[in-house]
Amino acid sequence: MIPVNQPLLEGNEKKYLAECIDTGWISSEGPFVTRFEEQMAAAVGRRHGIAVCNGTAALEAAVAALDLQPGDEVVMPAFAIISCAMAVVRCGCVPVLVDSDPVNWNVDTGKLREKLEQEIGKNGNRRIKAIMAVHIYGLPTDMDPILEMADRYGLAIIEDAAEMHGQSYKGRPCGSFGALSTFSFYPNKHITTGEGGMLLTDDDALAERCRSLRNLCFQGGRRFVHEELGYNFRMSNLQAAVGVAQLERLEAFVARKRRMGRRYTEGLAGVEGLELMPERTSYAENIYWVYGVVLKDEVPFDAAAAMSRLAERGIGSRPFFWPMHEQPVFRRMGLFKNQTFPVSERLARRGFYLPSGLALSAEQADEVTEAVKRLMKDEGVAK
Ligand SMILES: *Cc1c(COP(=O)(O)O)cnc(C)c1O
């Protein structure tokens, strides 16, 4: 079986972990946490890094740090991981969804503009307070229009850069945009700590606020007396030790993923029935967080069928995100009633991704390519 993901842990991970054990520093108080925060911030050109226990927690802390009022609204893509909408809902706020671009799968900035013009410009909706910009699968969201609209309407930006380690937008690092940005270090991201996440910001007050939220809102004066409810979102020194070792290899990791992406594209380019990831846009070169494919409409089966047939051939794969407006949990809460986002719906049903981990060898990628080709041929889609 070729697994859908396998991380590469061949640098200083063991050495730094041994340091944690040898010194006894294993909690979030250990020195690797600050080191990792400083190095991540430096890599992205931000003033502050706040390490947390995962990328979802980073998003929750980011939304909480903005001090929105219950009922305030945050605009985001319908096609994203549930963490994005969940962070907003958990703060008593409401996600406002926008459909995606059918080619690069990021939010459709034309539709985002229409939505804001309609809601704020025409309807005078004053509840919209922020935009969550979520970079999807390897190409960044087109940030310029988002920055311009945020500026025009006075909206905060949270940048979810969970999949964008080492990526840049028009030469500016992803994770450097907006009031706050967030990263994840889950094992399928370009940099992993097993579980982990980080908030980045240039704003001293927001950084302080995130540190406080991360650590139960402890305050000065009498310890264990609290004015506010925070979270325990702390990252351990063990996780940060792995992160520091991983970060040393970020450039090599990005180069490796790009080689993988190009190899898949070369191998699959001629196969009928498949839409492949663009290698670049006018503003960025793909870093292939995962290598996604979308079955064209004429293909007589969906992503779920393709994935189970690939599994029979020993190839792991994963479905695309499921859009927020079709999440049963949000439907039950009465959210997104009668809303449709056709591009997101299609991506969820026709899209899936192939084995894309950093440990994937060129030979394995070729084996996957052959299996996909055979599948399409056996099903009568390709000749
Ligand atoms: C992975 C991911 C997250 C969540 O990160 P976890 O560490 O798994 O909680 C959030 N947003 C996006 C876009 C992601 O890809």
Side-chain angles (χ1 to χ4, degrees):
M1 186 83 187
I2 299 181
V4 74
N5 178 60
Q6 237 185 324
L8 267 190
L9 301 160
E10 299 172 330
N12 286 318
E13 289 85 354
K14 260 190 195 163
K15 182 178 160 212
Y16 297 160
L17 279 170
E19 251 179 79
C20 298
I21 306 290
D22 292 342
T23 59
W25 282 114
I26 54 174
S27 78
S28 63
E29 299 279 318
F32 278 112
V33 177
T34 315
R35 204 163 133 191
F36 189 37
E37 289 175 337
E38 287 172 358
Q39 290 178 356
M40 270 295 292
V44 173
R46 286 280 212 186
R47 283 169 56 81
H48 304 282
I50 301 98
V52 292
C53 53
N54 56 63
T56 301
L59 284 166
E60 278 197 52
V63 176
L66 291 183
D67 282 326
L68 304 176
Q69 297 304 306
D72 280 350
E73 298 174 358
V74 179
V75 183
M76 66 177 65
F79 184 70
I81 191 165
I82 196 163
S83 312
C84 300
M86 190 169 79
V88 170
V89 170
R90 284 254 157 88
C91 284
C93 298
V94 182
V96 173
L97 306 179
V98 177
D99 210 356
S100 294
D101 179 278
V103 176
N104 69 47
W105 313 333
N106 280 287
V107 76
D108 182 328
T109 48
K111 287 185 181 144
L112 177 59
R113 184 186 303 278
E114 274 170 38
K115 184 82 190 167
L116 292 175
E117 279 170 2
Q118 177 70 34
E119 285 292 318
I120 303 177
K122 295 214 178 73
N123 300 348
N125 181 348
R126 296 274 164 271
R127 308 235 66 158
I128 297 181
K129 297 287 163 59
I131 301 173
M132 196 179 279
V134 189
H135 306 298
I136 302 284
Y137 291 177
L139 286 167
T141 289
D142 191 0
M143 289 305 298
D144 276 346
I146 293 179
L147 293 168
E148 181 222 307
M149 286 181 267
D151 190 46
R152 180 184 330 157
Y153 295 115
L155 309 175
I157 294 175
I158 294 172
E159 183 195 3
D160 181 355
E163 304 168 1
M164 289 297 123
H165 305 266
Q167 178 60 293
S168 57
Y169 172 83
K170 295 188 179 174
R172 180 176 159 184
C174 289
S176 70
F177 294 92
L180 287 153
S181 58
T182 63
F183 281 91
S184 163
F185 307 111
Y186 190 71
N188 63 2
K189 315 293 182 183
H190 285 70
I191 293 287
T192 185
T193 61
E195 300 285 348
M198 197 172 296
L199 295 125
L200 296 176
T201 183
D202 293 317
D203 184 307
D204 298 350
L206 273 179
E208 218 23 68
R209 176 95 180 111
C210 292
R211 284 183 208 289
S212 173
L213 285 166
R214 163 180 73 177
N215 191 23
L216 301 174
C217 290
F218 275 111
Q219 50 196 58
R222 175 67 164 86
R223 197 168 173 84
F224 301 115
V225 176
H226 301 260
E227 294 284 350
E228 245 196 300
L229 295 181
Y231 306 86
N232 178 353
F233 281 165
R234 298 185 300 255
M235 173 185 274
S236 78
N237 202 48
L238 297 164
Q239 292 166 311
V242 175
V244 168
Q246 288 267 297
L247 197 51
E248 292 170 352
R249 309 192 55 210
L250 177 57
E251 247 173 79
F253 286 168
V254 169
R256 197 176 160 90
K257 284 275 207 172
R258 284 192 168 136
R259 276 199 301 277
M260 172 204 78
R262 281 195 294 266
R263 198 170 186 98
Y264 270 139
T265 299
E266 276 165 28
L268 295 170
V271 181
E272 273 170 75
L274 293 180
E275 290 167 19
L276 307 177
M277 304 180 88
E279 205 167 306
R280 57 172 50 80
T281 62
S282 57
Y283 50 76
E285 197 192 333
N286 207 323
I287 57 164
Y288 304 98
W289 170 56
V290 293
Y291 195 89
V293 298
V294 176
L295 298 169
K296 287 187 177 166
D297 293 335
E298 64 263 26
V299 175
F301 51 89
D302 64 5
M307 285 187 296
S308 69
R309 280 165 223 181
L310 282 175
E312 286 162 16
R313 293 161 203 248
I315 309 294
S317 61
R318 283 278 184 287
F320 274 13
F321 296 136
W322 193 250
M324 293 309 109
H325 65 295
E326 294 194 293
Q327 294 289 350
V329 61
F330 291 142
R331 285 288 174 111
R332 275 204 302 280
M333 296 168 92
L335 286 165
F336 317 130
K337 240 181 229 149
N338 304 319
Q339 296 185 20
T340 59
F341 300 98
V343 176
S344 304
E345 288 160 26
R346 176 172 179 269
L347 289 174
R349 287 160 178 80
R350 312 292 294 175
F352 62 99
Y353 65 86
L354 302 172
S356 311
L358 278 159
L360 188 81
S361 67
E363 293 69 34
Q364 285 176 313
D366 292 345
E367 212 179 303
V368 173
T369 300
E370 280 315 306
V372 173
K373 279 185 177 168
R374 259 183 285 121
L375 164 76
M376 299 304 269
K377 211 187 247 171
D378 293 353
E379 300 294 334
V381 178
K383 278 172 238 83

